[in-house]
């Protein structure tokens, strides 16, 4: 069995092993990391040899840490990262390069239809009828997208939303409210098979699925990092927020979507979001601008070029074929947009 895990901010760790009679055998760890002294690598292999195959990542990491020689220096590798690679080998996780990725980037669509498309496309990936998909959104109107478990009345000022023509819709993933405007926002979804994040904890899967975009931002001169649980940030503030939903059916799939700030109208945002008003009440809207670090200011690039560079970075790393929403998928999404995402009972399911 073989498992790999790129440690966020670190290096790639690979593990080859066998599972015999419920224990790990013939364990070999390798990678492009740095480790001193040389004997530490053998110590890691020895610590994992004979471990029960059902040991969780935390237990495996503890075995590794206890076995390391005094004064060991690890760069680009952690005991936790090795443990995750072991779990991914045991669960026969897939890697990015194991899949033929498809890109969907189509005309602007309504916030309600975007929610429905996320659900339909991810369900199709779970059922094995669609390849893993990167979908870049284009918005036809401003919106507030609230998390699956958020209180509608606590998050949104209805008078402010009406004043600015803002649609309010609830998504199927958790997390916080997103204020979006067509030219100020970059949003994308990854609909991936569950095997891609197999062996990862919920928190680890966020960092794993966000790693490619950190590299894309780096290519544009932005030093950004993953900030647990679900943010992408720079030294100047938050750049993006992510949310996830795990879907059953077939082999299962994960929906991971990210909203990035290209620009920001802070005055409008705090007029629409109640949480914005409370968080900024003692500091005014200037604080809202400081909390978010827009890509327009950092890159000086047009929004369309930022998106093109992100797509190019993904294609260079993993390959990417241009695709589209099928007529069958669109018909199902349009039905869901009516029956679920525009349904007042759904939107206010947590009043």
């Amino acid at each position: 069995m073989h498992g790999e895990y790129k440690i966020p901010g670190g290096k790639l760790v690979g593990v080859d092993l066998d599972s015999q009679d419920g224990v790990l055998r013939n364990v070999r760890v390798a990678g492009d990391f740095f480790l001193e002294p040389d004997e530490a690598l053998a110590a890691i292999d020895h610590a994992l040899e004979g471990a029960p195959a059902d040991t969780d990542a935390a237990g495996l990491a503890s075995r590794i840490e206890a076995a390391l020689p005094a004064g060991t220096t690890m760069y680009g590798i952690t005991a936790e990262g090795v443990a995750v690679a072991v779990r991914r080998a045991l669960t026969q996780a897939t890697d990015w390069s194991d899949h033929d990725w498809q890109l969907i980037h189509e005309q602007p669509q309504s916030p309600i239809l975007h929610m429905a498309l996320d659900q339909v496309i991810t369900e199709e990936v779970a059922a094995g009828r669609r390849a893993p998909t990167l979908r870049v959104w284009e918005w036809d109107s401003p919106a507030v997208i609230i998390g699956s478990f958020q209180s509608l009345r606590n998050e949104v000022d209805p008078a402010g939303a009406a004043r600015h023509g803002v649609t309010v819709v609830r998504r199927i993933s958790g997390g916080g409210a997103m204020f979006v405007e067509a030219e100020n926002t970059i949003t994308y979804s990854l609909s991936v098979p569950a095997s891609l994040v197999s062996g990862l904890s919920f928190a680890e899967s966020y960092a794993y699925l966000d790693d490619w975009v950190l590299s894309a931002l780096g290519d544009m001169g932005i030093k950004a990092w993953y900030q647990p649980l679900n943010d992408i940030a720079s030294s100047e503030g938050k750049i993006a927020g992510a949310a996830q939903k795990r879907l059953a059916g077939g082999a299962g799939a994960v929906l991971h979507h990210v909203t990035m700030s290209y620009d920001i109208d802070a005055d409008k945002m705090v007029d629409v979001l109640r949480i914005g008003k409370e968080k900024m009440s003692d500091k005014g809207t200037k604080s809202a601008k400081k909390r978010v670090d827009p890509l327009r200011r950092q890159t000086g690039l047009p929004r369309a070029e930022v998106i093109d560079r992100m797509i190019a970075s993904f294609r260079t790393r993993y390959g990417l074929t241009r695709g589209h929403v099928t007529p069958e998928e669109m018909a199902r999404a349009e039905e869901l947009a009516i029956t679920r995402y525009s349904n007042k009972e759904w939107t206010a399911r947590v009043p």
Side-chain angles (χ1 to χ4, degrees):
M1 299 177 184
H2 179 76
E4 293 185 349
Y5 180 56
K6 184 182 181 302
I7 297 170
K11 300 293 186 176
L12 182 71
V13 176
V15 178
D16 292 285
L17 55 82
D18 297 317
S19 178
Q20 300 174 359
D21 300 322
V23 299
L24 305 186
R25 296 296 184 198
N26 305 315
V27 181
R28 293 293 180 269
V29 176
D32 58 352
F33 48 80
F34 300 91
L35 186 62
E36 294 288 348
D38 284 353
E39 293 75 21
L41 185 60
I44 292 172
D45 292 343
H46 183 73
L48 295 170
E49 190 75 21
D54 59 358
T55 307
D56 64 15
L60 294 171
S62 294
R63 292 175 70 106
I64 294 169
E65 289 169 350
L68 290 173
T72 294
T73 300
M74 307 173 79
Y75 181 77
I77 178 177
T78 63
E80 293 80 7
V82 175
V84 169
V86 171
R87 294 305 314 165
R88 285 178 61 77
L90 290 166
T91 57
Q92 300 183 51
T94 57
D95 186 66
W96 295 86
S97 58
D98 294 327
H99 301 284
D100 295 322
W101 292 91
Q102 189 170 105
L103 169 69
I104 294 176
H105 187 195
E106 299 185 336
Q107 72 279 1
Q109 290 156 329
S110 71
I112 290 170
L113 186 59
H114 277 307
M115 300 305 111
L117 283 169
D118 257 3
Q119 179 178 336
V120 169
I121 288 171
T122 308
E123 287 175 347
E124 291 297 288
V125 172
R129 293 187 291 264
R130 164 174 281 282
T133 299
L134 167 65
R135 185 171 75 91
V136 179
W137 304 20
E138 295 294 346
W139 300 87
D140 74 355
S141 58
V144 168
I145 314 300
I146 59 174
S148 183
F149 311 109
Q150 288 189 293
S151 164
L152 177 61
R153 71 166 65 99
N154 289 345
E155 300 300 325
V156 182
D157 183 329
R163 189 159 44 247
H164 297 290
V166 171
T167 300
V168 180
V169 61
R170 186 183 297 274
R171 62 182 185 268
I172 58 173
S173 61
M178 307 184 305
F179 173 71
V180 301
E181 293 183 288
E183 295 305 315
N184 286 353
T185 307
I186 297 173
T187 305
Y188 67 86
S189 302
L190 286 169
S191 296
V192 307
S195 62
L196 185 66
V197 296
S198 181
L200 302 179
S201 69
F202 191 74
E204 288 164 345
S205 70
Y206 272 87
Y208 186 69
L209 295 177
D210 282 338
D211 189 64
W212 74 274
V213 82
L214 298 183
S215 295
L217 291 171
D219 292 341
M220 288 181 268
I222 301 172
K223 185 177 181 180
W225 57 83
Y226 165 72
Q227 186 168 294
L229 171 66
N230 61 335
D231 288 346
I232 296 171
S234 73
S235 59
E236 299 299 321
K238 179 177 174 179
I239 294 173
Q244 280 188 13
K245 177 67 176 179
R246 312 258 167 145
L247 298 182
V254 177
L255 167 64
H256 179 90
H257 41 202
V258 175
T259 293
M260 311 179 77
S261 173
Y262 174 72
D263 207 345
I264 182 172
D265 186 332
D267 295 326
K268 190 181 296 185
M269 181 177 71
V270 298
D271 197 36
V272 173
L273 294 181
R274 290 192 191 277
I275 191 167
K277 289 180 179 178
E278 183 171 341
K279 283 187 176 180
M280 310 305 166
S281 60
D282 60 336
K283 299 178 182 177
T285 57
K286 289 184 179 179
S287 292
K289 295 175 182 176
K290 291 181 179 178
R291 289 172 61 85
V292 179
D293 190 22
L295 293 173
R296 180 179 181 177
R297 184 197 66 76
Q298 292 194 71
T299 65
L301 298 172
R303 175 180 176 276
E305 186 168 346
V306 172
I307 291 173
D308 287 345
R309 291 194 184 196
M310 289 171 57
I311 291 171
S313 179
F314 191 103
R315 181 178 286 114
T316 298
R317 290 164 70 92
Y318 307 125
L320 194 61
T321 301
R322 189 65 181 251
H324 58 85
V325 177
T326 67
E328 295 78 13
E329 290 169 339
M330 182 58 75
R332 205 161 134 240
E334 289 173 341
E335 179 184 2
L336 270 175
I338 295 170
T339 60
R340 183 177 208 178
Y341 293 104
S342 62
N343 188 312
K344 292 181 179 178
E345 291 184 3
W346 166 255
T347 306
R349 76 184 190 112
V350 183

